[in-house]
Amino acid sequence: MSAAAADATRIPGLFSWPTRVYWEDTDAGGLVYHAQYLAFMERARSEWVRALGYGQDGLRLQHGLLFVVAGMQIGFLKPGRLDDELRVTVELVRCRRASLIFVQRVMRGEERLIEAEVKIASVDARQLRPCPIPPALYAQLQAQEAPAPGG
């Protein structure tokens, strides 16, 4: 089991995925281009789903659904730089019948570079319209929900 998958099992709702900043991720000043953080967070969410036993395509084939980004609030706190080793976290904070809310962070060591709240919608893979998450998958996702603060 990978270290990231082990993180997902140890603490419900918390997952961590390592990445490195490559030349292609940066702007002319050697800083991570702002849109690249979206790709880092997308990869981490995809690996989170994979650690639960599903690939994105498996969700489509087995359950007829897709998870799509419906909204995002993002705070850019500090810049990432060429060759930085980063850790992208995924924390499921709310699981609803047809949507998920995640908090994601991009970290360099203990430094928080990015913090985002990401709303994901469950949509029917053929019609691309909102649909409920199937009961067995919904129960599995609910089990990954992070404990409420102070609880």
Short mmCIF file of all heavy atoms in Angstrom, two decimals, residues 47-80:
data_model
loop_
_atom_site.label_atom_id
_atom_site.label_comp_id
_atom_site.label_asym_id
_atom_site.label_seq_id
_atom_site.Cartn_x
_atom_site.Cartn_y
_atom_site.Cartn_z
N GLU A 47 -6.48 10.39 -6.93
CA GLU A 47 -5.77 9.35 -6.18
C GLU A 47 -6.53 8.98 -4.89
O GLU A 47 -6.49 7.84 -4.46
CB GLU A 47 -4.34 9.77 -5.89
CG GLU A 47 -3.48 9.89 -7.13
CD GLU A 47 -3.36 8.59 -7.93
OE1 GLU A 47 -3.50 7.48 -7.35
OE2 GLU A 47 -3.15 8.68 -9.15
N TRP A 48 -7.21 9.94 -4.30
CA TRP A 48 -8.05 9.68 -3.12
C TRP A 48 -9.14 8.68 -3.49
O TRP A 48 -9.36 7.70 -2.78
CB TRP A 48 -8.66 11.00 -2.62
CG TRP A 48 -9.56 10.89 -1.44
CD1 TRP A 48 -9.18 10.84 -0.13
CD2 TRP A 48 -10.98 10.83 -1.45
NE1 TRP A 48 -10.30 10.77 0.69
CE2 TRP A 48 -11.42 10.76 -0.11
CE3 TRP A 48 -11.93 10.85 -2.46
CZ2 TRP A 48 -12.75 10.69 0.25
CZ3 TRP A 48 -13.27 10.78 -2.11
CH2 TRP A 48 -13.67 10.70 -0.77
N VAL A 49 -9.82 8.91 -4.62
CA VAL A 49 -10.87 7.99 -5.09
C VAL A 49 -10.25 6.63 -5.40
O VAL A 49 -10.81 5.59 -5.05
CB VAL A 49 -11.59 8.57 -6.33
CG1 VAL A 49 -12.48 7.53 -6.99
CG2 VAL A 49 -12.42 9.79 -5.94
N ARG A 50 -9.08 6.61 -6.02
CA ARG A 50 -8.41 5.35 -6.34
C ARG A 50 -8.07 4.58 -5.06
O ARG A 50 -8.20 3.36 -5.00
CB ARG A 50 -7.15 5.63 -7.16
CG ARG A 50 -6.46 4.38 -7.69
CD ARG A 50 -5.18 4.70 -8.46
NE ARG A 50 -5.26 5.84 -9.34
CZ ARG A 50 -5.80 5.81 -10.57
NH1 ARG A 50 -6.29 4.69 -11.05
NH2 ARG A 50 -5.81 6.90 -11.32
N ALA A 51 -7.64 5.28 -4.01
CA ALA A 51 -7.31 4.63 -2.73
C ALA A 51 -8.55 4.00 -2.09
O ALA A 51 -8.43 3.06 -1.31
CB ALA A 51 -6.66 5.63 -1.77
N LEU A 52 -9.74 4.50 -2.46
CA LEU A 52 -10.99 3.90 -1.95
C LEU A 52 -11.40 2.69 -2.78
O LEU A 52 -12.38 2.03 -2.45
CB LEU A 52 -12.12 4.94 -1.98
CG LEU A 52 -11.97 6.11 -1.03
CD1 LEU A 52 -13.13 7.08 -1.22
CD2 LEU A 52 -11.89 5.64 0.41
N GLY A 53 -10.67 2.42 -3.86
CA GLY A 53 -10.96 1.24 -4.68
C GLY A 53 -11.62 1.56 -6.01
O GLY A 53 -12.07 0.65 -6.70
N TYR A 54 -11.69 2.84 -6.37
CA TYR A 54 -12.32 3.23 -7.63
C TYR A 54 -11.37 4.13 -8.40
O TYR A 54 -10.78 5.04 -7.85
CB TYR A 54 -13.59 4.06 -7.38
CG TYR A 54 -14.63 3.35 -6.57
CD1 TYR A 54 -14.69 3.52 -5.19
CD2 TYR A 54 -15.55 2.51 -7.18
CE1 TYR A 54 -15.65 2.86 -4.44
CE2 TYR A 54 -16.50 1.85 -6.43
CZ TYR A 54 -16.55 2.03 -5.06
OH TYR A 54 -17.49 1.38 -4.33
N GLY A 55 -11.28 3.91 -9.69
CA GLY A 55 -10.67 4.90 -10.56
C GLY A 55 -11.80 5.77 -11.08
O GLY A 55 -12.97 5.40 -10.97
N GLN A 56 -11.46 6.91 -11.63
CA GLN A 56 -12.51 7.78 -12.18
C GLN A 56 -13.31 7.03 -13.24
O GLN A 56 -14.53 7.12 -13.29
CB GLN A 56 -11.89 9.05 -12.77
CG GLN A 56 -11.27 9.96 -11.75
CD GLN A 56 -12.29 10.73 -10.92
OE1 GLN A 56 -13.49 10.59 -11.08
NE2 GLN A 56 -11.79 11.55 -10.03
N ASP A 57 -12.62 6.26 -14.09
CA ASP A 57 -13.33 5.53 -15.12
C ASP A 57 -14.16 4.39 -14.53
O ASP A 57 -15.22 4.05 -15.05
CB ASP A 57 -12.36 4.99 -16.18
CG ASP A 57 -13.03 4.78 -17.52
OD1 ASP A 57 -13.87 5.62 -17.90
OD2 ASP A 57 -12.73 3.77 -18.17
N GLY A 58 -13.70 3.82 -13.41
CA GLY A 58 -14.47 2.79 -12.74
C GLY A 58 -15.79 3.32 -12.22
O GLY A 58 -16.82 2.62 -12.28
N LEU A 59 -15.79 4.54 -11.72
CA LEU A 59 -17.05 5.15 -11.27
C LEU A 59 -18.02 5.27 -12.44
O LEU A 59 -19.22 5.01 -12.30
CB LEU A 59 -16.79 6.53 -10.66
CG LEU A 59 -16.10 6.55 -9.31
CD1 LEU A 59 -15.77 7.99 -8.92
CD2 LEU A 59 -16.95 5.89 -8.25
N ARG A 60 -17.50 5.66 -13.58
CA ARG A 60 -18.34 5.80 -14.77
C ARG A 60 -18.89 4.45 -15.22
O ARG A 60 -20.09 4.30 -15.47
CB ARG A 60 -17.54 6.44 -15.91
CG ARG A 60 -18.35 6.68 -17.18
CD ARG A 60 -17.49 7.31 -18.27
NE ARG A 60 -16.39 6.44 -18.68
CZ ARG A 60 -16.51 5.44 -19.56
NH1 ARG A 60 -17.66 5.18 -20.13
NH2 ARG A 60 -15.46 4.71 -19.89
N LEU A 61 -18.01 3.44 -15.26
CA LEU A 61 -18.44 2.13 -15.75
C LEU A 61 -19.29 1.37 -14.74
O LEU A 61 -20.29 0.76 -15.11
CB LEU A 61 -17.20 1.30 -16.13
CG LEU A 61 -16.38 1.84 -17.30
CD1 LEU A 61 -15.09 1.04 -17.45
CD2 LEU A 61 -17.19 1.82 -18.58
N GLN A 62 -18.91 1.37 -13.46
CA GLN A 62 -19.63 0.60 -12.44
C GLN A 62 -20.89 1.28 -11.94
O GLN A 62 -21.85 0.62 -11.59
CB GLN A 62 -18.71 0.32 -11.25
CG GLN A 62 -17.57 -0.60 -11.55
CD GLN A 62 -16.60 -0.68 -10.37
OE1 GLN A 62 -16.93 -0.32 -9.25
NE2 GLN A 62 -15.40 -1.16 -10.63
N HIS A 63 -20.85 2.61 -11.85
CA HIS A 63 -21.96 3.33 -11.23
C HIS A 63 -22.66 4.31 -12.17
O HIS A 63 -23.66 4.92 -11.79
CB HIS A 63 -21.47 4.09 -9.99
CG HIS A 63 -20.96 3.19 -8.92
ND1 HIS A 63 -21.78 2.41 -8.14
CD2 HIS A 63 -19.70 2.93 -8.51
CE1 HIS A 63 -21.05 1.72 -7.28
NE2 HIS A 63 -19.78 2.00 -7.49
N GLY A 64 -22.13 4.47 -13.38
CA GLY A 64 -22.76 5.38 -14.34
C GLY A 64 -22.71 6.84 -13.91
O GLY A 64 -23.57 7.62 -14.28
N LEU A 65 -21.70 7.19 -13.11
CA LEU A 65 -21.62 8.58 -12.67
C LEU A 65 -20.23 9.15 -12.82
O LEU A 65 -19.24 8.43 -12.95
CB LEU A 65 -22.12 8.73 -11.23
CG LEU A 65 -21.30 8.15 -10.07
CD1 LEU A 65 -20.18 9.07 -9.64
CD2 LEU A 65 -22.23 7.94 -8.89
N LEU A 66 -20.19 10.45 -12.84
CA LEU A 66 -18.94 11.20 -12.86
C LEU A 66 -18.98 12.18 -11.70
O LEU A 66 -20.04 12.66 -11.31
CB LEU A 66 -18.82 12.01 -14.16
CG LEU A 66 -18.86 11.25 -15.48
CD1 LEU A 66 -18.92 12.24 -16.64
CD2 LEU A 66 -17.65 10.35 -15.61
N PHE A 67 -17.83 12.47 -11.15
CA PHE A 67 -17.71 13.54 -10.17
C PHE A 67 -17.07 14.72 -10.90
O PHE A 67 -15.99 14.58 -11.48
CB PHE A 67 -16.83 13.12 -8.99
CG PHE A 67 -17.49 12.16 -8.04
CD1 PHE A 67 -16.81 11.08 -7.54
CD2 PHE A 67 -18.80 12.35 -7.63
CE1 PHE A 67 -17.41 10.19 -6.64
CE2 PHE A 67 -19.42 11.49 -6.73
CZ PHE A 67 -18.71 10.41 -6.24
N VAL A 68 -17.76 15.85 -10.90
CA VAL A 68 -17.27 17.03 -11.60
C VAL A 68 -17.18 18.21 -10.64
O VAL A 68 -17.97 18.32 -9.69
CB VAL A 68 -18.17 17.40 -12.81
CG1 VAL A 68 -18.18 16.27 -13.83
CG2 VAL A 68 -19.58 17.74 -12.37
N VAL A 69 -16.23 19.09 -10.88
CA VAL A 69 -16.09 20.28 -10.04
C VAL A 69 -17.25 21.22 -10.35
O VAL A 69 -17.47 21.59 -11.50
CB VAL A 69 -14.74 20.98 -10.29
CG1 VAL A 69 -14.66 22.30 -9.53
CG2 VAL A 69 -13.59 20.07 -9.90
N ALA A 70 -17.99 21.58 -9.29
CA ALA A 70 -19.12 22.49 -9.43
C ALA A 70 -18.78 23.89 -8.91
O ALA A 70 -19.45 24.86 -9.24
CB ALA A 70 -20.33 21.94 -8.69
N GLY A 71 -17.75 23.98 -8.10
CA GLY A 71 -17.35 25.28 -7.57
C GLY A 71 -16.07 25.16 -6.76
O GLY A 71 -15.72 24.07 -6.29
N MET A 72 -15.39 26.29 -6.62
CA MET A 72 -14.14 26.27 -5.87
C MET A 72 -13.86 27.67 -5.32
O MET A 72 -14.04 28.66 -6.02
CB MET A 72 -12.99 25.83 -6.78
CG MET A 72 -11.65 25.73 -6.08
SD MET A 72 -10.30 25.22 -7.19
CE MET A 72 -10.73 23.52 -7.50
N GLN A 73 -13.45 27.71 -4.07
CA GLN A 73 -12.92 28.93 -3.49
C GLN A 73 -11.47 28.61 -3.14
O GLN A 73 -11.20 27.59 -2.50
CB GLN A 73 -13.68 29.32 -2.23
CG GLN A 73 -15.09 29.77 -2.50
CD GLN A 73 -15.80 30.21 -1.23
OE1 GLN A 73 -15.29 30.08 -0.13
NE2 GLN A 73 -16.98 30.75 -1.40
N ILE A 74 -10.57 29.48 -3.57
CA ILE A 74 -9.16 29.18 -3.41
C ILE A 74 -8.41 30.39 -2.87
O ILE A 74 -8.68 31.52 -3.28
CB ILE A 74 -8.56 28.68 -4.74
CG1 ILE A 74 -7.14 28.16 -4.58
CG2 ILE A 74 -8.64 29.73 -5.81
CD1 ILE A 74 -6.64 27.37 -5.78
N GLY A 75 -7.52 30.13 -1.94
CA GLY A 75 -6.67 31.18 -1.40
C GLY A 75 -5.23 30.87 -1.73
O GLY A 75 -4.73 29.80 -1.39
N PHE A 76 -4.58 31.81 -2.41
CA PHE A 76 -3.16 31.66 -2.74
C PHE A 76 -2.38 32.37 -1.64
O PHE A 76 -2.40 33.59 -1.54
CB PHE A 76 -2.86 32.30 -4.11
CG PHE A 76 -3.57 31.62 -5.25
CD1 PHE A 76 -4.82 32.06 -5.67
CD2 PHE A 76 -2.99 30.54 -5.89
CE1 PHE A 76 -5.47 31.43 -6.72
CE2 PHE A 76 -3.64 29.90 -6.93
CZ PHE A 76 -4.89 30.35 -7.36
N LEU A 77 -1.69 31.59 -0.80
CA LEU A 77 -1.05 32.15 0.38
C LEU A 77 0.44 32.44 0.18
O LEU A 77 0.94 33.47 0.60
CB LEU A 77 -1.25 31.20 1.56
CG LEU A 77 -2.73 30.82 1.82
CD1 LEU A 77 -2.80 29.74 2.88
CD2 LEU A 77 -3.54 32.03 2.20
N LYS A 78 1.15 31.49 -0.44
CA LYS A 78 2.59 31.63 -0.69
C LYS A 78 2.89 30.94 -2.01
O LYS A 78 2.23 29.98 -2.38
CB LYS A 78 3.41 30.97 0.43
CG LYS A 78 3.27 31.64 1.77
CD LYS A 78 4.16 30.97 2.79
CE LYS A 78 4.02 31.70 4.13
NZ LYS A 78 4.86 31.09 5.14
N PRO A 79 3.95 31.37 -2.70
CA PRO A 79 4.27 30.75 -3.99
C PRO A 79 5.06 29.45 -3.84
O PRO A 79 5.91 29.33 -2.96
CB PRO A 79 5.11 31.81 -4.69
CG PRO A 79 5.79 32.55 -3.57
CD PRO A 79 4.79 32.54 -2.43
N GLY A 80 4.75 28.51 -4.71
CA GLY A 80 5.60 27.34 -4.87
C GLY A 80 6.67 27.68 -5.90
O GLY A 80 6.47 28.55 -6.75
#
